[in-house]
Structures are given as C-alpha cells and as structure tokens.
C-alpha cells in the first residue's frame, strides 16, 4: 500500500484532485495532503520551493526519513498504464543532497 502526499505541485486544486483521483483509482494507494508517519511517497515537481529557493519542509522531512520522492508523472503515467509503474523510474533529485536537514524534527509535525 502506498501512502502519498505532495509538495510543490502548485496551488491548482483541480491538478491536486487529479493526482489524488489517479492514485486512488489505481488501488493500493491513499492520497493525503499531509505528510505523516504512514507516508511512503512524496510527489514533487522540484526539490526547491520556487518562492524561497529552498527545499520545502515536506521535502526536507521526506529526505530525512528516507521516503521515495517522485515526480507527478509517476502517478499519471501509472494511471495510463493501468498499473503502478516502478517509482524508481520517476525519482526526483536522485544523487543530490540537501545538506543539513536537522531543522525538521519529525514527520508528525510537518504540514
């Protein structure tokens, strides 16, 4: 079972709803706007927030806790295929580091 959330995917509610419906429609997945202790995957368009130029709190927490960080195409292309495609084929920022992520204490406190 995948527990998915997103960051940096824009403020367009229809796009976020599209990701949620696609993920849940494939089965074995639940989409939530919050990052929590059950989250397994973070969907992100970029490793930095375009407004601040820094990684978001969700992104930092996902890195810190070893979550799979993937581009939105993972969900959308999986939907087209009718099955979950390997997440590793859609990883974001592979091989890049964020440096010190110690400012994020725990997943339960990240919004």
């Amino acid at each position: 079972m995948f527990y998915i959330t997103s960051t940096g995917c824009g403020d367009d509610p229809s796009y976020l709803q599209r990701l949620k419906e696609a993920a849940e429609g494939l089965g074995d997945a639940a989409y939530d706007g919050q990052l929590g202790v059950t989250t397994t995957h973070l969907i992100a368009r970029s490793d930095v927030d375009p407004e601040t130029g820094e990684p978001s709190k969700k992104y930092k927490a996902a890195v810190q806790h070893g979550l799979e960080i993937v581009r939105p195409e993972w969900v959308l292309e999986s939907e087209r295929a009718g099955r979950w495609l390997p997440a590793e084929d859609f990883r974001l920022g592979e091989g890049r580091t964020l440096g010190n992520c110690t400012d994020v204490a725990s997943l339960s406190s990240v919004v």
Side-chain angles (χ1 to χ4, degrees), residues 8-60:
C9 289
D11 294 328
D12 180 0
S14 64
Y15 183 74
L16 296 175
Q17 184 65 29
R18 172 83 178 96
L19 286 175
K20 178 180 179 174
E21 289 172 1
E24 292 178 347
L26 281 163
D28 280 338
Y31 183 94
D32 188 343
Q34 304 296 315
L35 186 68
V37 295
T38 60
T39 305
T40 59
H41 293 71
L42 176 69
I43 299 171
R45 287 186 175 161
S46 174
D47 58 353
V48 295
D49 181 322
E51 292 180 18
T52 65
E54 297 290 325
S56 71
K57 285 184 176 184
K58 281 185 182 178
Y59 190 92
K60 287 180 182 182

Side-chain angles (χ1 to χ4, degrees), residues 10 18-19 30 35 42 50 55 73 75 79 87 96-97:
R18 172 83 178 96
L19 286 175
L35 186 68
L42 176 69
E73 291 81 10
V75 174
E79 181 186 42
R96 299 174 68 180
T97 61

Side-chain angles (χ1 to χ4, degrees), residues 85-100:
L85 299 173
E88 57 268 12
D89 293 346
F90 297 89
R91 284 185 181 142
L92 177 71
E94 190 160 18
R96 299 174 68 180
T97 61
L98 293 175
N100 184 357

Side-chain angles (χ1 to χ4, degrees), residues 63-91:
V63 169
Q64 182 180 15
H65 292 277
L67 302 183
E68 192 77 65
I69 303 171
V70 295
R71 299 182 321 275
E73 291 81 10
W74 174 57
V75 174
L76 301 174
E77 290 186 26
S78 292
E79 181 186 42
R80 278 188 221 107
R83 64 181 171 79
W84 284 108
L85 299 173
E88 57 268 12
D89 293 346
F90 297 89
R91 284 185 181 142

